[in-house]
Amino acid sequence: LKNEVVMLHREKYKPLQKRRLTESFVIKNRIDEVSAVNQSLIKNHILTNFGLVNRYKDGQYWFMSDYLKIPYHQHIQWTQDYLRDHYRLEFGQTLVPTPNDSIRGIILQTGEQTNVHHNVKDWHLEESPEVSCLYCVGTGAKSSNVIFEFDDGRNKHKRWKVPLEKDTFILYSSHLNHYITKNENRDFSVYLSLHFQLV
């Protein structure tokens, strides 16, 4: 009789079904040495485009002034290909460069840092990225950090710090507010900023 009651209870019990509505993530890694990507060539390419003429000017998206317009380069293309292939292998989705502004550069001189921002353009969602990437191609002896700001349910105003070490990349959810801390080196800090949508 006891076993029958237990079986009856199990038949009536319906397991709780949990649905994840949103996901925020940060992934840090290095590009394999076997890859043909040469981060020194990418760094030099970004530095050659360092100038006011290549600064983004957008009053609506004020944070864009931290970024430089960077034209196509073969090693940037190979970086995008590497990220696409490995993300698809790990997570089953493909990273596709955004239709506009998929390649940007960031150069921080001594004492500079970026403003707090996210990479989703609220008025242009079709052009906005779902996944962004920071690839550190040049820094001095002391690494800066990227600080991500997020809420976790009732826990508000949380922060996650990730060191921006040379030759490492960070993939992250584009909607996350973030900023790069002050460059405390004499050398410039140089970053490649890539932006993707998911298919």
Side-chain angles (χ1 to χ4, degrees), residues 179-194:
Y179 64 94
I180 299 174
T181 58
K182 187 184 297 183
N183 176 15
E184 298 182 4
N185 302 291
R186 291 184 179 179
D187 299 325
F188 288 1
S189 291
V190 184
Y191 308 98
L192 175 65
S193 180
L194 301 173

Side-chain angles (χ1 to χ4, degrees), residues 148-161:
F148 294 99
E149 299 179 343
F150 65 100
D151 294 335
D152 181 16
R154 294 187 305 166
N155 303 310
K156 306 296 183 183
H157 311 297
K158 298 187 77 174
R159 288 179 171 81
W160 185 260
K161 179 174 74 174

Side-chain angles (χ1 to χ4, degrees), residues 5-62:
V5 171
V6 170
M7 292 300 293
L8 183 62
H9 175 71
R10 286 180 179 170
E11 289 175 7
K12 288 184 177 180
Y13 173 74
K14 294 182 180 178
L16 301 174
Q17 295 184 353
K18 182 178 181 181
R19 295 284 183 263
R20 183 182 295 275
L21 300 179
T22 61
E23 179 186 35
S24 298
F25 66 87
V26 176
I27 301 167
K28 182 178 178 182
N29 213 328
R30 292 182 182 273
I31 293 180
D32 292 339
E33 293 179 1
V34 296
S35 168
V37 173
N38 186 321
Q39 54 90 21
S40 294
L41 292 178
I42 296 174
K43 173 186 173 183
N44 292 337
H45 181 63
I46 294 172
L47 287 170
T48 58
N49 289 279
F50 186 38
L52 290 177
V53 68
N54 288 325
R55 288 272 179 193
Y56 281 93
K57 298 177 180 69
D58 192 328
Q60 193 172 42
Y61 301 107
W62 51 270

